[in-house]
Amino acid sequence: MAKTGSGKGAYTAEEARPYQETLRMLRARLVGDTNHLADGALNRTGREASGDLSKMPIHMADIGSDNYEQEFSLDLLAAEQATLAEVDSALARIEKGEYGACVECGHRIKKSRLNAIPYTHYCIDCATERDQESRG
C-alpha cells in the first residue's frame, strides 16, 4: 500500500475533539506513571550509591530479587515512554488536521478502533498487514 499525505481520511477538528481530550488525559496519566516508575527504579541505586545501606539486602537471593524488580521497572518505564511518544504523535496529528487518517493507506480509521487505541497510526487492515509481515 502506498503512503499518502493527502489526509483524505482525516477527522475534522470537531470529530477529533473527543479523542484529543482522551489523549490529553492519557498523556497526563502516562507522565505521572513514568515519573513514578523512574523514581522507584532509580532511587534504589541512588540510596545505595550514597552509602545508605539500611535497606541493603543481606542474602544473595534478596539482591537478585532487587535487581529483577529494578529491571522490570525499567522495562515498564521504557514501554510507558514509547506509549507516551505515540500519544504525543497523535496529538500532533490532531493539530495538523491529519488525525484519523491511516498513515499507510490514507483511509479513515474507524471510530471503534480509535476508541480502543486513540493513538494508533493505522487502520485495522494496515495494522493486520504490518503484523503479519513482522511475523512472516
Side-chain angles (χ1 to χ4, degrees), residues 11 14-23 25-26 90 93 99-100 108-124:
Y11 284 73
E14 187 66 31
E15 291 172 314
R17 188 168 291 120
Y19 299 106
Q20 186 175 31
E21 292 305 314
T22 299
L23 288 162
M25 289 188 301
L26 180 58
R93 289 193 309 276
Y99 182 77
R108 183 173 273 218
I109 300 171
K110 292 182 180 180
K111 288 183 178 184
S112 58
R113 179 157 172 79
L114 290 173
N115 288 335
I117 310 170
Y119 49 86
T120 188
H121 293 265
Y122 303 101
C123 67
I124 192 69

Side-chain angles (χ1 to χ4, degrees), residues 3-38:
K3 185 175 182 177
T4 61
S6 66
K8 64 184 175 186
Y11 284 73
T12 65
E14 187 66 31
E15 291 172 314
R17 188 168 291 120
Y19 299 106
Q20 186 175 31
E21 292 305 314
T22 299
L23 288 162
R24 285 181 179 159
M25 289 188 301
L26 180 58
R27 185 182 194 290
R29 190 199 59 140
L30 287 168
V31 167
D33 288 353
T34 56
N35 289 340
H36 178 73
L37 285 169

Side-chain angles (χ1 to χ4, degrees), residues 28-58:
R29 190 199 59 140
L30 287 168
V31 167
D33 288 353
T34 56
N35 289 340
H36 178 73
L37 285 169
D39 288 345
L42 302 177
N43 278 345
R44 175 173 292 136
T45 57
R47 279 195 312 267
E48 293 165 5
S50 69
D52 180 8
L53 302 177
S54 62
K55 295 187 180 184
M56 186 71 177
I58 297 172

Side-chain angles (χ1 to χ4, degrees), residues 96-136:
K96 293 177 188 174
E98 299 171 355
Y99 182 77
C102 176
V103 298
E104 187 71 26
C105 70
H107 291 109
R108 183 173 273 218
I109 300 171
K110 292 182 180 180
K111 288 183 178 184
S112 58
R113 179 157 172 79
L114 290 173
N115 288 335
I117 310 170
Y119 49 86
T120 188
H121 293 265
Y122 303 101
C123 67
I124 192 69
D125 293 335
C126 290
T128 301
E129 184 177 311
R130 290 176 58 84
D131 186 47
Q132 288 173 348
E133 287 174 1
S134 69
R135 291 182 186 188

